[in-house]
Amino acid sequence: MPTPEKHALLSASSASRWLNCTAAPHFEEQFQKTTSEYAEEGRLAHSVCELKVLKKFTPMSSRTFTTRYNKLKKDPLYNVEMDKTSELYIEHLTEAAMMYSRPPAVTAEVVVDFSDYVPGGFGTCDCVMIGGDTLNITDYKHGKGVLVSAENNPQMRLYALGALKRYQPVYGNTIKNVRMTIIQPRIQSEPSVETITADALIAWGETIRPIAQQAYMGPGDFRPGEHCRFCRGKAQCRARADVNTALEEFKDCVPRNCSAPSYGANTLTDDEIGDLLVRGKELVKWYNDLEDYALQTILNGGQISGWKAVAGRSVRTFTDQDAAIEAVLAAGYDEALVYDRKPKTLTALEQLMGKAEFMDKLGSFVVKPLGKPTLAPMSDKREAYNPAAADFAEAAQSSGGIE
Ligand code: SF4
């Protein structure tokens, strides 16, 4: 992802955190920034996407493209999936470009400055498209762990504010609408989009300006919540620990009727269980973060009082699988009994063929059964599970009625 954000105290990508917890930016400074193989892989995937945007929308010879692409492919983290996901990214950008009545101006990896709203704020938009009265900014996300929505997304809005500022000298006040798109092809085929007017975007920028100022100046207010997830200090933050160890809070939601002891009074109501589930969710995440931190500390040679690292469960494996199989065959077992002949999975075949050919040749064979019911808070964007619809889908599927 964008290199310049490494140096911004209030980065766009961490905006959902510092907008909620204004203490976070300075608090995090004491903890070392780390990178992971996933992050490096994401960086490489962005480079592939950037190259393809330039090839698609700007003059670039095939030779230059091939030379640059071959160089990227030599990276040990390159894998063929990046080729497919970047193609999907280009497909979406092409569709977005076709929404304009005339070909829009398209640029990749645009550094934008949103310091009018956020002190020292700047970052990089993966793709900016401008035409008519609409600015379209797109962010490619290679991660497949957490699905990110473009709706009310402060990262996208800050990029958009920066892009408005950058292109204002060229386009003046002709830009009236801003379309913000997140493409996360490894977990969702359709992009997530939010469109708002330029005026509404600027008004939003005004609302966050004082919060950004407070976060920049410090010390700010510690406010634990879901946004702690990517905070570098999430395990060592005392405010988060205080909230999660405030057991009195839990007592409040389980009223006891001591004057009239009965089995009823000793049984949690469904409302109480709903409330406890909400409160306990953050507690579980926090505990997991503490475990990760403690294990890493011990593995790094440190000590966590009362805890040690042990080897986890492992499975047996052959030192040399080919030699082992040969030994089985030599023992007289038939090959048909030794080998399983399995077709590739649906996802692997889609990666092999590409989305378009896959849908063309295999689309009619694909069904998507309703997933197993799982508990989710009311705020979850998915529709509530409907047992009747699930039964119907199962019956239709078994009779071959769903396509
Ligand atoms: S862990 Fe949460 S509360 Fe603590 S500084 Fe980070 S974001 Fe703020």
Side-chain angles (χ1 to χ4, degrees):
M1 274 298 284
T3 311
E5 282 198 37
K6 277 185 174 175
H7 308 296
L9 177 67
L10 304 185
S11 69
S13 57
S14 64
S16 60
R17 186 154 68 252
W18 53 256
L19 282 171
N20 283 293
C21 172
T22 48
H26 287 293
F27 177 68
E28 282 186 86
E29 280 183 312
Q30 64 183 301
F31 305 107
Q32 207 181 357
K33 285 185 183 173
T34 55
T35 188
S36 64
E37 195 167 298
Y38 297 121
E40 294 306 317
E41 198 180 281
R43 229 177 278 279
L44 180 63
H46 272 79
S47 299
V48 174
C49 287
E50 179 190 6
L51 180 63
K52 291 195 179 181
V53 171
L54 296 176
K55 174 76 171 79
K56 174 76 186 175
F57 295 101
T58 66
M60 177 182 274
S61 70
S62 297
R63 194 173 164 186
T64 305
F65 173 77
T66 307
T67 308
R68 288 182 58 180
Y69 199 14
N70 285 341
K71 203 172 163 192
L72 292 173
K73 283 180 177 172
K74 284 193 181 128
D75 190 306
L77 291 176
Y78 177 82
N79 58 57
V80 72
E81 188 187 11
M82 286 178 195
D83 190 47
K84 305 289 181 199
T85 55
S86 55
E87 283 304 319
L88 289 173
Y89 175 61
I90 298 299
E91 270 177 36
H92 288 306
L93 291 181
T94 307
E95 279 169 23
M98 285 165 66
M99 291 166 75
Y100 290 88
S101 53
R102 284 200 217 150
V106 182
T107 330
E109 295 292 304
V110 181
V111 175
V112 293
D113 172 347
F114 47 86
S115 60
D116 288 352
Y117 301 90
V118 176
F122 63 100
T124 309
C125 291
D126 292 338
C127 183
V128 176
M129 223 175 252
I130 305 179
D133 65 356
T134 304
L135 163 75
N136 191 338
I137 63 162
T138 305
D139 195 45
Y140 171 87
K141 296 207 181 288
H142 196 65
K144 57 180 182 180
V146 182
L147 184 63
V148 186
S149 166
E151 278 176 45
N152 296 314
N153 185 310
Q155 177 183 14
M156 298 304 287
R157 290 184 175 197
L158 290 174
Y159 285 160
L161 282 170
L164 271 185
K165 177 181 175 176
R166 179 174 176 131
Y167 293 103
Q168 218 262 346
V170 182
Y171 293 90
N173 292 324
T174 57
I175 298 171
K176 302 291 180 208
N177 298 302
V178 180
R179 190 167 185 267
M180 292 160 283
T181 308
I182 291 178
I183 295 173
Q184 204 168 2
R186 293 170 86 203
I187 40 176
Q188 182 157 278
S189 55
E190 289 308 308
S192 172
V193 181
E194 178 181 63
T195 304
I196 58 174
T197 64
D199 286 344
L201 177 68
I202 290 166
W204 175 83
E206 295 299 337
T207 65
I208 61 119
R209 199 201 300 263
I211 305 172
Q213 192 65 31
Q214 190 191 9
Y216 186 76
M217 298 302 291
D221 296 325
F222 285 92
R223 289 226 185 85
E226 280 188 32
H227 49 271
C228 296
R229 180 175 190 156
F230 295 111
C231 180
R232 291 204 297 281
K234 64 186 176 183
Q236 289 141 288
C237 174
R238 188 171 297 281
R240 193 178 182 214
D242 285 346
V243 166
N244 284 303
T245 52
L247 297 179
E248 289 299 319
E249 290 282 321
F250 280 81
K251 280 184 188 164
D252 291 347
C253 72
V254 188
R256 289 173 192 278
N257 185 351
C258 299
S259 59
S262 69
Y263 288 120
N266 285 303
T267 307
L268 290 175
T269 67
D270 288 351
D271 280 348
E272 285 166 349
I273 286 174
D275 198 12
L276 283 166
L277 281 168
V278 172
R279 293 173 195 231
K281 216 170 167 53
E282 282 307 313
L283 189 69
V284 172
K285 286 187 204 164
W286 171 67
Y287 186 82
N288 290 338
D289 289 337
L290 288 182
E291 277 191 328
D292 290 346
Y293 170 80
L295 177 61
Q296 207 48 55
T297 302
I298 293 169
L299 292 179
N300 288 342
Q303 290 197 346
I304 297 289
S305 172
W307 293 84
K308 64 182 176 185
V310 294
R313 273 190 55 197
S314 72
V315 290
R316 293 179 303 164
T317 181
F318 291 125
T319 51
D320 181 340
Q321 177 156 316
D322 291 344
I325 296 297
E326 266 177 36
V328 182
L329 296 175
Y333 289 89
D334 195 273
E335 262 195 47
L337 296 173
V338 175
Y339 286 99
D340 275 336
R341 186 164 169 261
K342 282 189 190 162
K344 285 194 181 296
T345 62
L346 183 152
T347 307
L349 287 172
E350 190 177 40
Q351 283 170 357
L352 175 74
M353 301 170 77
K355 201 177 169 195
E357 192 189 355
F358 177 85
M359 282 314 291
D360 182 39
K361 302 273 174 18
L362 302 183
S364 60
F365 298 110
V366 177
V367 289
K368 194 170 188 307
L370 214 55
K372 277 189 188 167
T374 181
L375 195 63
M378 277 302 188
S379 56
D380 192 286
K381 292 205 170 82
R382 288 167 291 182
E383 262 181 46
Y385 186 83
N386 180 340
D391 290 346
F392 175 76
E394 205 172 298
Q397 200 186 320
S398 55
S399 66
I402 290 181
E403 291 196 347

